[in-house]
Amino acid sequence: MIIMGQSQRRLVPQWRRFESDSASSEFAMPAGTNSKTADRGLDANFVKRLEHFRREPNLISAAEVVESAMVLGRASDGEVIRAARIIFRDSNSAPLVRLHATRLLNNAGDLNDQPNVALALSRTSKLRERIRANPLDAIAWVDLALTQTCSGQFEPAKRSMRVALNIAPTNRLVLRSAARLFFHFKDYEQAYDLVRRSEMTRVDPWLMAAEVSLSAFAEKKPRFVKQGLQLIESESLAPSQITELAGSIGTLMLVDDGGRIGRKLMRQSQMAPTVNAIAQADWISLFVNSGVSLASADQRTSQKAWEALALRAFSLEGEIAESIRYGKLWVDDEPYNPVAFASVAGAANVIEDFAIAREYSKRGLLSSRNDPRLLNAMSFAVASIGDLDGAEAYAAKVPEDGAHSLVATANRGLIAMRRGDMAKGKDLYRDAIAGFRRLGAKEPEVSCLLYFSAELARAGDAVEGRKRLEEAKEQGKVPKRKYHDFLAKRVEGQIQALERSEPREAVKTTNAAIDQQR
Amino acid sequence: MRNPDSAAAKLNGLKLEGGWRVVRAIAQSPSATGGQFSNSYEVENEDGRHGFLKAFDFSRAFEPGRDTISELTSLLAGYMSERDILLHCKNRHHSKIVLPLDHGFTQVPNLGDQEGRVYYLILDMADGDIRSQVDVVKRLDTLSSVRALNDICLGLWQVHRDMIAHQDVKPSNVLVYKETADFRVTDFGCASRRGVVAPRDQLRFPGDNTYAPPEAMYGELDSDFVKRRIGCDLYMFGNIACFLFAGINVTANLMSHLAPQYHPGNWHGSYQLALPYLMNAFTATLEDLHHEIDEEVREVVLRMIQELCTPDVARRGHSRGIGRVSQYSLERYVSELDLLKRRVEIRARLKKTA
């Protein structure tokens, strides 16, 4: 039993290692917020160095040109490239001087014919060592907190993040990462307060976006909707700077039935989107007409929208194996995000690759202990390979409220039926289905019906199995989910084989469908 | 920058007051900081002593379309500021500063009284500078590098005690004197003195931008003389330490570790908001340097660079002085480097005898 994605997705800030995310537009400062930086014309010293280099092209004059160019942001000038080549070819150049020249040539595409050039010194230092080298590096503390979170060291992660907040309390990257950390630990109030109370939120579109999104989880009224709308309408910022703000407010409005403005904002959020904004637009398109053309949005960002790709492949295209591949890349991108792990584990359960399902559930549970999605995925995978006690134990850890507990109920139904207690199993499945129906959660209801049908077929009850399958097909017409089609096809095969009293044929049909996906 | 028709370019062969004779013109160093209009010559005294003559070129003030009075005022102020600071250093017997041997003005023959008058400064002639550190074969060895660092530190400390900030400490402004086996700081054309208005004081950064501290590049200008100008010298001194041992300057390395969007030209926020990214790039710089600095002196030199070149101006200076009056004083580094120099000298001697 699975639930793919999230029932309440918002544009909560994402958190990555700074090294891999440093070029993201998320941390650039929009023009116009502060104009203190002086105009940088052609520097007189740079001109003199170039003249000297033209007269005497040697290692020293070349090094001076390259050094100046790097500082002044003129690294792509033709003569600078020529100077860099002289350094690169001179075996007497000091290693770091050579490294600068190599980086510069590489950025200019000048080293294409020399693939084995080392572009960095071998940096074996770990985060701790980096912090020891410079304890006031707030970003290193943020990175350390991320590593600690991923490895399940929750208290040290919080301490590291607090150090980062003390060093750089107004920095966007630190604030958004800290908000994400507290969100990850389900301390929604603290995550929200951190952003709401920051003096920067009044002027920063990225923090406004976080405030609007987190307010839904903290169950608070967002404070920056009006200001955010004014900022978007003012058109004073580049589209890349308002993508998440527009996406946050757009989501809020679409959820609150503010359709026209909501759709306009969602379209604005896709003009120069982050991968988070793309995933948000994809997610909301599953439920309402957001007016967004999803096909082209991910071409407007240099990063890969793994989350959106995984969700599309799973729900809209029924390409389960592709969904797993994208999901794994999403996990690499956000190695703390339980939804990313659950996407892989859930999809792996669909194609009955229980080893992958267990691996990703286990890894996800390391950084997200007791996450109900992962517990359910693990419970299902473990039950499917015959460890019914283990499955029971995982199901028992799922909190007793909301849709996730209903999934756990369905899993308990599966466990009971596999133990031979058909009556209890059926009751539990029926309870789960009724629960989903009460919540109006159609997608998990259909999934539950399909799995119930499969278990009935497995137990040899073709009549009720067929009944549940037809019910699932009827309920699954709107919204249409392709993975439901995949599951339905497989169950259909099992039931038809049973109806023909050919149990072996049922198994064959199942295996053929699974092999095709793998 | 030089005007070949100006009087300052026609001093070859002239006899000057004080028994000096202009021997030959010297090509201007490409690292002479922009905005200074001067010509360089080698001069010789009657007793055979050689000197370096810096002739100030005021011809620009008389070019068509220029406001002659304001240009002339500014050029004269530049000359007088540098001269007065150097004379002050001479009176104070600052041993690690390139001191003036003479100064004055001369009249170039066949030119009018106004256009033919050239003001000059004569300084000790050096044997070279430390720019060859980019070359692993020609570079100074560890002992010489420590000696250089010690001398530069002493030179800067000497002027800092008089509330003079150099603001243009860079490899080409550290001169080597082989005869006396020492290193001295030169070129006070960008210097500021507390309480005295200098012509380049109004600039965002008076010195060479390639070696500028990050706060100056981002336009973060403190009104306090010590924090802004002495703090800048501390950074540039740390930069020299980096250059002596690794052949690069910290500013260039910082910029190489920053994604383009955080570069000063692309950053439109305050310096405080850019600081975490700079601190992160600074950590990467320290990692780079760790592999390059000779193990014998690594601990002391790397700590010095860390303390002196931190992009956070409020935390710049010796760790024991942070938050105190002495935060921006180089005194502690003078002692530490003197001790380090002695240690390296003893080890070198022991190696020789072994």
Side-chain angles (χ1 to χ4, degrees):
Chain A
M1 170 57 55
I2 62 142
I3 292 182
M4 180 79 173
Q6 300 150 87
S7 54
Q8 196 194 9
R9 193 189 195 284
R10 293 291 185 273
L11 266 163
V12 174
Q14 291 187 331
W15 185 16
R16 295 182 181 88
R17 275 291 291 268
F18 180 64
E19 221 164 44
S20 63
D21 206 29
S22 61
S24 159
S25 62
E26 192 174 334
F27 309 120
M29 270 316 271
T33 53
N34 185 332
S35 55
K36 256 168 84 183
T37 308
D39 177 41
R40 302 179 69 78
L42 198 59
D43 187 90
N45 292 302
F46 182 56
V47 174
K48 276 206 267 178
R49 286 187 176 116
L50 278 175
E51 283 169 1
H52 179 234
F53 172 67
R54 277 179 214 134
R55 281 197 314 272
E56 298 172 38
N58 56 35
L59 179 56
I60 292 177
S61 62
E64 286 192 317
V65 165
V66 166
E67 200 170 50
S68 279
M70 287 172 80
V71 173
L72 302 171
R74 309 196 65 90
S76 55
D77 290 12
E79 285 204 276
V80 177
I81 302 290
R82 196 161 76 85
R85 280 196 207 121
I86 288 180
I87 298 170
F88 184 73
R89 289 181 194 139
D90 194 328
S91 57
N92 289 347
S93 55
L96 286 180
V97 178
R98 201 173 152 79
L99 179 66
H100 282 178
T102 312
R103 278 187 194 147
L104 198 145
L105 289 172
N106 190 59
N107 290 342
D110 205 69
L111 293 178
N112 293 342
D113 54 336
Q114 302 184 49
N116 294 324
V117 172
L119 285 176
L121 295 178
S122 62
R123 270 204 204 101
T124 51
S125 66
K126 296 192 174 108
L127 277 166
R128 282 265 173 220
E129 285 167 25
R130 298 197 83 197
I131 286 169
R132 216 170 289 135
N134 185 12
L136 295 173
D137 182 350
I139 293 173
W141 283 104
V142 169
D143 281 350
L144 179 65
L146 178 60
T147 308
Q148 288 166 328
T149 302
C150 293
S151 58
Q153 301 171 60
F154 297 161
E155 284 311 309
K158 286 180 191 170
R159 277 200 298 274
S160 298
M161 191 58 88
R162 283 197 188 100
V163 176
L165 278 168
N166 280 332
I167 297 171
T170 56
N171 181 265
R172 181 191 298 162
L173 180 144
V174 175
L175 278 166
R176 281 171 63 90
S177 303
R180 180 66 199 222
L181 174 127
F182 292 117
F183 175 84
H184 180 79
F185 294 130
K186 304 217 171 354
D187 192 346
Y188 301 131
E189 194 124 336
Q190 187 156 2
Y192 175 72
D193 279 355
L194 195 69
V195 177
R196 185 182 61 82
R197 286 185 184 166
S198 170
E199 60 190 83
M200 292 305 296
T201 308
R202 280 175 292 160
V203 291
D204 190 316
W206 297 88
L207 295 174
M208 281 183 196
E211 193 272 345
V212 172
S213 294
L214 288 165
S215 65
F217 295 95
E219 294 174 355
K220 299 274 171 66
K221 195 173 174 228
R223 283 192 176 189
F224 288 92
V225 174
K226 194 176 164 192
Q227 215 166 322
L229 281 171
Q230 282 169 353
L231 194 62
I232 295 165
E233 282 163 14
S234 74
E235 294 182 358
S236 58
L237 299 178
S240 64
Q241 293 300 315
I242 53 142
T243 171
E244 294 207 1
L245 181 59
S248 296
I249 303 176
T251 303
L252 185 79
M253 294 204 161
L254 286 172
V255 169
D256 288 349
D257 296 327
R260 194 178 58 82
I261 302 173
R263 276 191 290 276
K264 186 184 166 199
L265 287 168
M266 289 313 288
R267 278 195 299 274
Q268 273 179 292
S269 80
Q270 301 303 298
M271 286 167 75
T274 58
V275 292
N276 198 10
I278 292 172
Q280 185 65 24
D282 266 24
W283 176 83
I284 205 144
S285 296
L286 293 175
F287 305 100
V288 291
N289 173 19
S290 65
V292 173
S293 164
L294 300 174
S296 60
D298 51 359
Q299 287 163 13
R300 286 192 283 274
T301 178
S302 56
Q303 293 167 302
K304 276 287 180 189
W306 302 125
E307 178 185 355
L309 289 169
L311 186 63
R312 273 181 223 172
F314 188 75
S315 295
L316 302 179
E317 294 154 8
E319 296 292 339
I320 315 297
E322 276 295 278
S323 170
I324 292 175
R325 192 171 74 78
Y326 293 138
K328 284 179 179 176
L329 292 163
W330 179 16
V331 165
D332 292 343
D333 193 34
E334 292 187 79
Y336 56 88
N337 190 342
V339 189
F341 285 103
S343 80
V344 179
N349 274 335
V350 168
I351 59 164
E352 301 194 344
D353 189 342
F354 301 119
I356 291 287
R358 281 177 71 196
E359 183 198 332
Y360 276 79
S361 300
K362 193 176 171 186
R363 278 176 59 192
L365 284 167
L366 190 65
S367 55
S368 308
R369 285 174 210 156
N370 299 328
D371 182 88
R373 286 163 290 227
L374 293 167
L375 288 169
N376 282 327
M378 184 64 136
S379 175
F380 184 85
V382 167
S384 300
I385 57 168
D387 180 5
L388 299 177
D389 291 342
E392 185 94 63
Y394 282 113
K397 286 182 187 171
V398 178
E400 283 294 321
D401 61 331
H404 297 299
S405 74
L406 296 173
V407 180
T409 305
N411 279 341
R412 279 195 206 95
L414 180 143
I415 294 164
M417 287 173 80
R418 300 256 170 132
R419 280 185 173 138
D421 190 346
M422 298 301 288
K424 186 184 173 190
K426 286 179 184 175
D427 282 349
L428 285 166
Y429 263 121
R430 284 181 197 122
D431 286 352
I433 292 161
F436 287 129
R437 214 162 275 169
R438 273 198 303 279
L439 291 176
K442 215 164 198 188
E443 189 175 338
E445 183 196 333
V446 175
S447 298
C448 194
L449 280 164
L450 288 166
Y451 276 106
F452 187 22
S453 171
E455 280 309 305
L456 289 164
R458 197 175 192 276
D461 186 350
V463 178
E464 196 173 352
R466 165 66 63 196
K467 194 176 152 200
R468 293 298 174 186
L469 177 62
E470 294 309 319
E471 199 179 344
K473 283 179 179 172
E474 186 57 33
Q475 293 293 328
K477 281 178 183 166
V478 183
K480 192 83 182 154
R481 296 288 178 262
K482 286 279 186 168
Y483 74 93
H484 283 160
D485 292 349
F486 172 83
L487 282 171
K489 194 177 164 192
R490 194 170 71 201
V491 180
E492 180 72 56
Q494 288 171 306
I495 291 173
Q496 277 178 8
L498 200 64
E499 283 165 347
R500 292 196 302 268
S501 298
E502 293 174 24
R504 282 192 179 187
E505 193 63 31
V507 174
K508 270 187 205 165
T509 312
T510 307
N511 290 342
I514 291 165
D515 287 345
Q516 199 182 346
Q517 272 299 329
R518 279 177 181 167
Chain B
M1 283 291 179
R2 285 194 302 176
N3 174 5
D5 297 325
S6 74
K10 295 174 178 169
L11 300 191
N12 246 341
L14 285 187
K15 284 207 167 186
L16 310 172
E17 279 182 23
W20 294 99
R21 188 173 62 85
V22 182
V23 179
R24 65 181 179 97
I26 300 171
Q28 196 184 27
S29 162
S31 299
T33 300
Q36 299 285 51
F37 293 84
S38 63
N39 291 61
S40 308
Y41 296 90
E42 184 180 346
V43 290
E44 189 181 11
N45 206 338
E46 286 160 348
D47 56 9
R49 187 174 186 186
H50 283 253
F52 171 85
L53 183 141
K54 185 175 178 181
F56 289 81
D57 177 9
F58 296 160
S59 65
R60 189 175 59 155
F62 300 101
E63 284 172 3
R66 288 196 184 264
D67 181 348
T68 303
I69 292 182
S70 70
E71 285 276 350
L72 206 54
T73 309
S74 161
L75 291 165
L76 271 170
Y79 163 69
M80 286 165 68
S81 166
E82 185 171 0
R83 184 198 64 186
D84 292 349
I85 286 173
L86 287 174
L87 289 177
H88 173 86
C89 292
K90 191 176 183 182
N91 291 336
R92 300 274 291 164
H93 302 288
H94 289 337
S95 56
K96 299 300 172 191
I97 302 297
V98 179
L99 297 172
L101 301 172
D102 212 339
H103 67 95
F105 61 88
T106 188
Q107 185 69 32
V108 177
N110 304 323
L111 289 175
D113 281 354
Q114 272 190 352
E115 56 174 337
R117 182 166 293 188
V118 178
Y119 287 82
Y120 63 82
L121 278 167
I122 298 176
L123 307 157
D124 251 340
M125 192 79 176
D127 297 298
D129 56 41
I130 59 165
R131 282 179 297 153
S132 59
Q133 292 304 93
V134 297
D135 189 321
V136 286
V137 176
K138 293 179 189 161
R139 62 163 37 169
L140 301 169
D141 61 11
T142 301
L143 176 57
S144 300
S145 298
V146 173
R147 279 181 183 151
L149 204 55
N150 188 32
D151 287 352
I152 302 158
C153 188
L154 196 57
L156 289 174
W157 181 54
Q158 286 169 343
V159 294
H160 286 178
R161 281 188 303 179
D162 300 336
M163 280 298 143
I164 294 167
H166 186 286
Q167 301 180 111
D168 200 19
V169 186
K170 57 182 178 179
S172 61
N173 283 343
V174 175
L175 301 185
V176 184
Y177 290 85
K178 286 183 181 162
E179 195 182 329
T180 47
D182 71 341
F183 299 83
R184 292 178 219 165
V185 181
T186 191
D187 194 355
F188 279 74
C190 300
S192 292
R193 195 171 174 189
R194 187 153 81 176
V196 180
V197 178
R200 295 172 74 86
D201 278 359
Q202 297 305 314
L203 298 178
R204 185 169 54 92
F205 177 64
D208 188 336
N209 282 321
T210 303
Y211 303 90
E215 69 272 16
M217 297 178 71
Y218 285 82
E220 175 82 350
L221 307 173
D222 203 290
S223 56
D224 179 45
F225 179 89
V226 173
K227 204 170 169 185
R228 175 172 170 183
R229 302 192 186 277
I230 303 283
C232 157
D233 269 9
L234 259 61
Y235 177 88
M236 294 182 103
F237 171 57
N239 227 345
I240 287 287
C242 177
F243 189 82
L244 278 165
F245 291 95
I248 54 150
N249 95 63
V250 173
T251 309
N253 213 58
L254 271 182
M255 294 302 138
S256 81
H257 283 294
L258 274 183
Q261 61 192 18
Y262 309 114
H263 276 236
N266 303 328
W267 185 260
H268 297 274
S270 71
Y271 184 64
Q272 278 308 310
L273 293 176
L275 195 54
Y277 309 111
L278 285 160
M279 289 299 268
N280 193 255
F282 186 53
T283 309
T285 297
L286 292 172
E287 282 186 298
D288 287 346
L289 293 175
H290 191 271
H291 301 277
E292 289 306 303
I293 299 173
D294 188 343
E295 209 178 339
E296 195 178 2
V297 296
R298 186 183 294 159
E299 196 188 326
V300 176
V301 173
L302 204 58
R303 182 176 51 74
M304 271 180 60
I305 295 171
Q306 187 196 344
E307 292 173 351
L308 292 166
C309 293
T310 174
D312 187 352
V313 197
R315 308 283 309 178
R316 196 171 290 163
H318 198 285
S319 53
R320 289 187 192 162
I322 301 295
R324 297 183 185 178
V325 185
S326 65
Q327 178 173 345
Y328 296 96
S329 167
L330 286 171
E331 191 171 1
R332 287 189 173 95
Y333 293 112
V334 170
S335 311
E336 282 184 9
L337 284 168
D338 191 53
L339 184 67
L340 182 68
K341 184 181 78 176
R342 284 171 204 285
R343 277 186 188 151
V344 179
E345 279 172 346
I346 290 167
R347 271 187 217 130
R349 231 176 288 147
L350 286 172
K351 260 186 210 167
K352 249 186 191 176
T353 52

